Amino acid sequence: MPSKPPPAFTDLLAGCTRSAVHLEMRDSYAVDYETGPFAEWRAGHRLDPDDRSSWWRPWLSLVEDTTARGVVIRRARIVSEPVREYTRFLHSFTFTNVAVGEDVRWLPRRQASTIALPGNDFWLFDDHTVYWNHFTGDGASAGGEVSNDPAAAKLCSEAFETVWARATPHDQYTIH
């Protein structure tokens, strides 16, 4: 009997009923210096807080719909300081995540040294389903993986909550 494919990330978020937490631990992700949003940002383009239609869609619409259902979405970013240019880029538009209901915090990597962290970025849905984000060495996506292993969920939950407790809320985090 063939195994059924794992659920898509968007289905996991859509099926979430209480919480979704996301831990990001890389200093850059699939940076394309030549084209795309990062290149536009490097050339001086900044998102307009008053022009919601220009923001990153459909992602922000999905987050907005999810938080409107009462799901709490939290994102924590562990970053090296002084920050890299890519982190400045991320920080510059994180206000969009916050505007649609995500709570975002930043933790300098030096403050994460004593935290037991998983080897990959992840999302944890309702404290039991882990969506691992795999990346290549240069930050390109290498696909996701879903796990319902209780030990993995416990590791992710404990790591995230420890990071969260130490991290600085987005509106208070100053880029160094």
Side-chain angles (χ1 to χ4, degrees):
M1 178 147 200
S3 63
K4 74 179 193 180
F9 174 83
T10 53
D11 294 336
L12 290 168
L13 192 56
C16 197
T17 60
R18 295 181 320 279
S19 67
V21 300
H22 183 38
L23 183 60
E24 297 176 347
M25 299 180 283
R26 296 181 58 93
D27 284 323
S28 66
Y29 295 87
V31 175
D32 185 342
Y33 290 94
E34 304 299 323
T35 62
F38 184 61
E40 293 167 6
W41 178 85
R42 291 180 86 211
H45 173 75
R46 299 297 182 265
L47 293 177
D48 180 350
D50 297 323
D51 183 10
R52 288 183 144 214
S53 66
S54 70
W55 298 354
W56 185 22
R57 304 290 177 174
W59 169 250
L60 292 173
S61 298
L62 179 60
V63 170
E64 195 166 37
D65 293 345
T66 303
T67 58
R69 290 188 290 114
V71 175
V72 174
I73 300 179
R74 297 181 293 158
R75 177 187 306 257
R77 292 181 171 136
I78 298 174
V79 296
S80 299
E81 291 182 332
V83 300
R84 295 184 62 180
E85 184 180 35
Y86 187 83
T87 302
R88 290 180 185 283
F89 163 68
L90 283 179
H91 190 270
S92 77
F93 68 80
T94 296
F95 74 89
T96 65
N97 298 75
V98 174
V100 296
E102 228 182 295
D103 196 358
V104 181
R105 292 188 182 182
W106 303 79
L107 182 67
R109 192 169 309 281
R110 286 182 177 271
Q111 295 177 26
S113 296
T114 60
I115 302 172
L117 297 167
N120 294 289
D121 289 11
F122 65 85
W123 280 87
L124 178 62
F125 300 100
D126 290 333
D127 298 315
H128 60 77
T129 302
V130 179
Y131 182 90
W132 300 110
N133 293 111
H134 298 294
F135 296 94
T136 64
D138 65 0
S141 176
E145 177 185 0
V146 176
S147 172
N148 290 306
D149 176 22
K154 182 176 189 252
L155 170 66
C156 291
S157 178
E158 289 173 354
F160 184 87
E161 293 305 329
T162 303
V163 168
W164 191 256
R166 294 182 188 183
T168 302
H170 174 69
D171 63 350
Q172 297 171 28
Y173 181 70
T174 304
I175 290 288
H176 298 318

